[in-house]
Amino acid sequence: MVNWAQMYDCHGDVDRVPELLARAEREDDAAAWDELGHRLVLERDLVFPASFAALPRLVRLASGSARARGLAGAIVRCGAGRHGCDDLLAECAEAIAELRGLLDRHLRSRPDDYLAAFRDMLATEGHYHWSAVLGDFSDDFYQVACPHCAAEVTIAIGGYGRYSAIRDWNLGDVDRRDLRPASLEGLSGTGRRMYETVVRDGQTVLADGIAHLFGQAECPRCASVFGIADEYEASHRPLM
């Protein structure tokens, strides 16, 4: 049983969230869902004790409610932040595993909100970094430092092309070098898991983008070749 007297939300209230959950569960009240979203996840970044206390109930509702599924995913995505609730997060392990299975089934249906649900599923697997930064590869840019000469390299994957370059504020991206996408055999770990999931679900644009993101780039300064995802993740990993 949750001791709601200790579970404050972003406003510091301890009694409002359980009331809203009951309303949402009983009536699928849109106003209640809106207020829950504002109280449990602040600026899409901060969560509170009430957020994790509410998570199991949200997951139970998620199979029949897109609002519950989205809010549960938003809470899990914030799990890497400095929320001071590590013990409450650990107690949600079973609910998070259940959410992971639900999201996987949802992705197989090729829904309109595929990318958002895919990012939520990555968070349930502990891949908080890629959950936070993965785009739709329509116009994505990633900044990385060359591991050999420390040059600031721009990686483009999208409508402008798939290349590494040096960004000049007057000339744009100069000295472009084509990226080298990873083959399926060259993928492992998180990259392979991501790639196989989107291929399974017929998401060809995401699959191509992930293959390039987890491929290699050539530094325009020193011509050394490095793994894009490894360097980007190393320098942008969220604080745990």
Side-chain angles (χ1 to χ4, degrees), residues 125-192:
E125 296 175 343
H127 304 310
Y128 296 110
H129 170 75
W130 295 116
S131 173
V133 305
L134 189 70
D136 61 4
F137 298 112
S138 61
D139 185 19
D140 289 9
F141 293 91
Y142 301 86
Q143 301 296 325
V144 299
C146 172
H148 302 282
C149 72
E152 190 73 16
V153 180
T154 294
I155 304 295
I157 308 176
Y160 287 98
R162 293 159 177 79
Y163 60 80
S164 59
I166 300 299
R167 175 152 294 180
D168 183 285
W169 291 110
N170 296 313
L171 301 176
D173 292 343
V174 299
D175 200 3
R176 299 184 183 188
R177 312 289 176 94
D178 289 341
L179 301 182
R180 307 176 187 184
S183 63
L184 176 60
E185 295 75 18
L187 287 167
S188 62
T190 305
R192 189 180 183 98

